[in-house]
Amino acid sequence: MQYTKSFYQIKSSETIFEYVKKEIDTIGYYSLPLQDTKEIKEYAKSVKYSNIAIIGIGGSTLGTYAIYQFLKPTHEYSKELHFFESTDPTDIKLRLKKLDLNNTLFLVISKSGTTIETISIFKYIASLVKIDKNNCVIISENDSKLTQFALKNGMKTFEIPKNVGGRFSVFSTVGLVPLAILGVDIDSLLAGAREVKNSFFEKKGYYETIMEKARFMVENKNRFNINVVFSYSASLEGFNKWYIQLWGESLGKININGTKQALTPIGLIGPVDQHSFLQLIAEGKRDKTVTFIKVADFQDNTKIPSNTLDGFEGLEYIDNLEFSKLIDEQANATIESIKQLADIPYDVITINRVDEYNIAKLMFSYQLLTSVVGRFVQINTYNQPGVEAGKIILKEKLQKIKGD
């Protein structure tokens, strides 16, 4: 008798926890909350430019943008971040129109130092304005072509550790340098990440929350293979995009038994997507989990005024209601409607306040959740062979065009 299988045993939470603990020795993002920020903060204080242009893509920008977008509505910054990610020529020119190139610091971020999109945009901008040590900083691995270029031209450099992958790099120099220049309290960011890390590895509150959620997702991954994040704040749209990269690029893999894993991330914004995707969640196929993210304190008391428009009798119940209360009740009503259906797995995360500490707690907890799920499904969470294959094909095509 012969026997083969295409499934694997789901290991105990204790076993998975021990595997994750061992990753600390080789996977760099776990140690980022403990880093010394002195050099970053000293450099940030020296920057006089009003505009900070970040040239990068994917993990080099998404985390920074998520934090920037979340904090911007309630924080006054004297500088502004601009993101150059796409090779869409109309997008590049549109973004450049918003810049005074002579009052801009360019942060070029690429872990490998050879990212096609990043280098292409960098080369174009260098044709428009003189790039030198005064207006350009390089953030890359210490031996990359980009770092070599910086050293040759006397430019300031910050290192991306080799064992920190792009989608896990927001709490490295990738995120901390531009955010510190902007005026973000990066020590508070790291403190938030550190709280989650310590709680998890000391088997306290975050340990139970993350382990329980990861185990449910893995045990039910064939039935509920779509994971929806429904964020009730427009300022969390950047977080949603960051989550989609983190989740999709980390967990869309082939596991040790050759089985394709497919946990698919979806990012929604409430209440806008109540008028579109919610219908699919409520009455569509039961293949989704939903995580609602709410903000407890928007730090904004703007109200809906009364008696400014005629002809809307019957809607007086919204008069003098704070918008923050309205969006909170919209979230609560949607959550209640999902609860009543009784067959859609959901959970609710409430961010206490719009500040560095709380957004870091949210993001680091999702990084840990991703690592734990990856261990449960027995994949390499930290590589991206599917993405790399496309890069190889692109290079071959471009070389062929050049040759022709």
mmCIF file of all heavy atoms in Angstrom, residues 1-8:
data_model
loop_
_atom_site.group_PDB
_atom_site.id
_atom_site.type_symbol
_atom_site.label_atom_id
_atom_site.label_comp_id
_atom_site.label_asym_id
_atom_site.label_seq_id
_atom_site.Cartn_x
_atom_site.Cartn_y
_atom_site.Cartn_z
ATOM 1 N N MET A 1 0.842 -1.192 0.000
ATOM 2 C CA MET A 1 0.000 0.000 0.000
ATOM 3 C C MET A 1 0.881 1.247 0.000
ATOM 4 O O MET A 1 1.872 1.313 0.727
ATOM 5 C CB MET A 1 -0.891 0.007 1.244
ATOM 6 C CG MET A 1 -1.868 1.183 1.269
ATOM 7 S SD MET A 1 -3.037 1.100 2.651
ATOM 8 C CE MET A 1 -1.922 1.431 4.030
ATOM 9 N N GLN A 2 0.532 2.208 -0.827
ATOM 10 C CA GLN A 2 1.239 3.478 -0.881
ATOM 11 C C GLN A 2 0.341 4.586 -0.358
ATOM 12 O O GLN A 2 -0.888 4.492 -0.429
ATOM 13 C CB GLN A 2 1.666 3.803 -2.316
ATOM 14 C CG GLN A 2 2.684 2.817 -2.889
ATOM 15 C CD GLN A 2 3.095 3.182 -4.295
ATOM 16 O OE1 GLN A 2 2.349 3.843 -5.006
ATOM 17 N NE2 GLN A 2 4.285 2.758 -4.693
ATOM 18 N N TYR A 3 0.986 5.627 0.163
ATOM 19 C CA TYR A 3 0.207 6.729 0.741
ATOM 20 C C TYR A 3 0.889 8.048 0.458
ATOM 21 O O TYR A 3 2.097 8.194 0.675
ATOM 22 C CB TYR A 3 0.077 6.555 2.255
ATOM 23 C CG TYR A 3 -0.593 7.719 2.952
ATOM 24 C CD1 TYR A 3 -1.947 7.957 2.784
ATOM 25 C CD2 TYR A 3 0.134 8.573 3.762
ATOM 26 C CE1 TYR A 3 -2.571 9.030 3.418
ATOM 27 C CE2 TYR A 3 -0.471 9.654 4.403
ATOM 28 C CZ TYR A 3 -1.825 9.877 4.227
ATOM 29 O OH TYR A 3 -2.431 10.917 4.854
ATOM 30 N N THR A 4 0.161 8.986 -0.092
ATOM 31 C CA THR A 4 0.658 10.351 -0.265
ATOM 32 C C THR A 4 -0.387 11.315 0.282
ATOM 33 O O THR A 4 -1.565 10.941 0.450
ATOM 34 C CB THR A 4 0.906 10.685 -1.749
ATOM 35 O OG1 THR A 4 -0.328 10.540 -2.464
ATOM 36 C CG2 THR A 4 1.957 9.760 -2.346
ATOM 37 N N LYS A 5 0.025 12.544 0.559
ATOM 38 C CA LYS A 5 -0.923 13.518 1.090
ATOM 39 C C LYS A 5 -0.579 14.913 0.575
ATOM 40 O O LYS A 5 0.567 15.185 0.212
ATOM 41 C CB LYS A 5 -0.926 13.529 2.619
ATOM 42 C CG LYS A 5 0.378 13.991 3.265
ATOM 43 C CD LYS A 5 0.278 13.891 4.783
ATOM 44 C CE LYS A 5 1.584 14.291 5.452
ATOM 45 N NZ LYS A 5 1.854 15.738 5.352
ATOM 46 N N SER A 6 -1.583 15.779 0.555
ATOM 47 C CA SER A 6 -1.376 17.171 0.159
ATOM 48 C C SER A 6 -1.864 18.109 1.261
ATOM 49 O O SER A 6 -2.260 19.226 1.008
ATOM 50 C CB SER A 6 -2.127 17.484 -1.143
ATOM 51 O OG SER A 6 -3.508 17.316 -0.948
ATOM 52 N N PHE A 7 -1.871 17.587 2.498
ATOM 53 C CA PHE A 7 -2.261 18.421 3.631
ATOM 54 C C PHE A 7 -1.179 18.330 4.686
ATOM 55 O O PHE A 7 -0.241 17.531 4.593
ATOM 56 C CB PHE A 7 -3.610 17.971 4.204
ATOM 57 C CG PHE A 7 -3.622 16.547 4.694
ATOM 58 C CD1 PHE A 7 -3.196 16.221 5.981
ATOM 59 C CD2 PHE A 7 -4.046 15.509 3.872
ATOM 60 C CE1 PHE A 7 -3.207 14.924 6.432
ATOM 61 C CE2 PHE A 7 -4.048 14.189 4.323
ATOM 62 C CZ PHE A 7 -3.628 13.897 5.602
ATOM 63 N N TYR A 8 -1.275 19.141 5.693
ATOM 64 C CA TYR A 8 -0.285 19.150 6.749
ATOM 65 C C TYR A 8 -0.999 19.299 8.087
ATOM 66 O O TYR A 8 -2.146 19.738 8.165
ATOM 67 C CB TYR A 8 0.701 20.313 6.560
ATOM 68 C CG TYR A 8 0.038 21.661 6.529
ATOM 69 C CD1 TYR A 8 -0.116 22.406 7.696
ATOM 70 C CD2 TYR A 8 -0.470 22.184 5.342
ATOM 71 C CE1 TYR A 8 -0.757 23.631 7.679
ATOM 72 C CE2 TYR A 8 -1.112 23.401 5.320
ATOM 73 C CZ TYR A 8 -1.249 24.124 6.488
ATOM 74 O OH TYR A 8 -1.900 25.328 6.471
#
